[in-house]
Amino acid sequence: MTEQPDTPVDPVVLTTERLVLRPPQACDLEAVFAACQDEEIQRWTVVPSPYRLEDAEYFVNDLAANGWRTGEARIWCVLERASGAMVGTQGITLAPGRPGSAEVGWWAAKEYRGRGYTVEAARAVARYGLTELGLRRLEWQAYVGNDGSRAVAERVGYRFEGTLRSYAEQRGVFHDAWVASLLATDLD
Ligand SMILES: CC(C)(COP(=O)(O)OP(=O)(O)OC[C@H]1O[C@@H](n2cnc3c(N)ncnc32)[C@H](O)[C@@H]1OP(=O)(O)O)[C@@H](O)C(=O)NCCC(=O)NCCS
């Protein structure tokens, strides 16, 4: 069954071979704040720049918490099982007006890149979205030139669909965007 916005949901924990994905908690604030100082995260995502501790508090206490409460977004902190370290975030946000469709997003903390963690986490999120949530289409978008995020999407199985001009807003500026999708039928 396809879930609609405003359906309250129980927070979900996903586990993979090396990672656990769980909803953000107050204990993640410092790690989120530290990770988001990275210029690559500020360059390629919509996080505020400069990034303040209040922005991490908003992420944990408002954006993620409200997303889980309303069902409009599922946001996870990604933790390394071996150490408990916070290595990144993942999210699925339902697309308003497009039932069964949602947008994915991710970043990895600089120190934990290049280990395949983002692909591993994004695979678990995709499987959850397309099977447990019953979504029809997961959409990945990135500003043109974000080769790292595109490599992750393609490793997970997202199929490239094209470039949308002046499409994705970042802090009041519109960028050309790459778009790819993963359908429930792609999992077969
Ligand atoms: C993009 C990002 C999430 C990749 O995270 P990561 O944990 O290093 O990714 P992984 O280790 O899972 O790498 C997966 C694949 O992507 C490739 N890759 C990673 N960064 C790359 C880059 N800059 N250019 C080309 N390929 C890259 C890896 O080589 C790997 O491919 P392989 O399995 O064939 O070796 C990370 O660099 C990041 O947080 N960037 C800033 C924020 C961002 O861009 N978020 C996405 C917004 S759409």
Side-chain angles (χ1 to χ4, degrees):
M1 191 186 81
T2 299
E3 211 166 281
Q4 298 299 318
D6 296 326
T7 307
V9 291
D10 289 331
V12 169
V13 175
L14 303 174
T15 305
T16 70
E17 189 187 340
R18 298 178 295 169
L19 306 168
V20 57
L21 286 68
R22 59 141 177 77
Q25 301 173 355
C27 60
D28 300 316
L29 282 173
E30 288 292 340
V32 170
F33 170 69
C36 289
Q37 301 309 309
D38 171 48
E39 62 183 27
E40 289 293 297
I41 292 178
Q42 296 192 11
R43 176 177 178 194
W44 296 115
T45 77
V46 295
V47 301
S49 179
Y51 195 91
R52 306 158 305 159
L53 189 56
E54 298 93 282
D55 299 315
E57 288 168 351
Y58 172 78
F59 172 75
V60 172
N61 299 329
D62 293 275
L63 194 69
N66 288 337
W68 284 104
R69 190 174 49 74
T70 63
E72 288 174 4
R74 277 94 172 153
I75 295 173
W76 294 269
C77 277
V78 181
L79 310 184
E80 193 176 45
R81 285 172 66 178
S83 66
M86 211 282 302
V87 301
T89 62
Q90 290 278 331
I92 299 182
T93 304
L94 297 182
R98 287 191 284 138
S101 192
E103 188 181 336
V104 294
W106 48 64
W107 55 253
K110 186 170 57 180
E111 300 78 6
Y112 293 94
R113 289 182 192 149
R115 304 181 191 197
Y117 282 169
T118 305
V119 168
E120 187 171 321
R123 275 203 185 113
V125 167
R127 208 172 307 117
Y128 168 74
L130 295 173
T131 57
E132 302 293 316
L133 291 183
L135 294 168
R136 173 177 47 81
R137 171 186 166 92
L138 291 179
E139 186 169 294
W140 163 88
Q141 293 176 19
Y143 311 135
V144 167
N146 191 346
D147 296 317
S149 189
R150 182 168 173 171
V152 169
E154 289 181 343
R155 289 278 278 149
V156 173
Y158 284 79
R159 292 204 210 162
F160 189 71
E161 295 180 322
T163 303
L164 300 174
R165 295 182 302 153
S166 191
Y167 187 76
E169 188 187 356
Q170 182 193 43
R171 303 176 211 116
V173 176
F174 282 86
H175 299 286
D176 294 352
W178 282 332
V179 178
S181 70
L182 188 71
L183 304 187
T185 50
D186 293 334
L187 296 179
D188 297 340

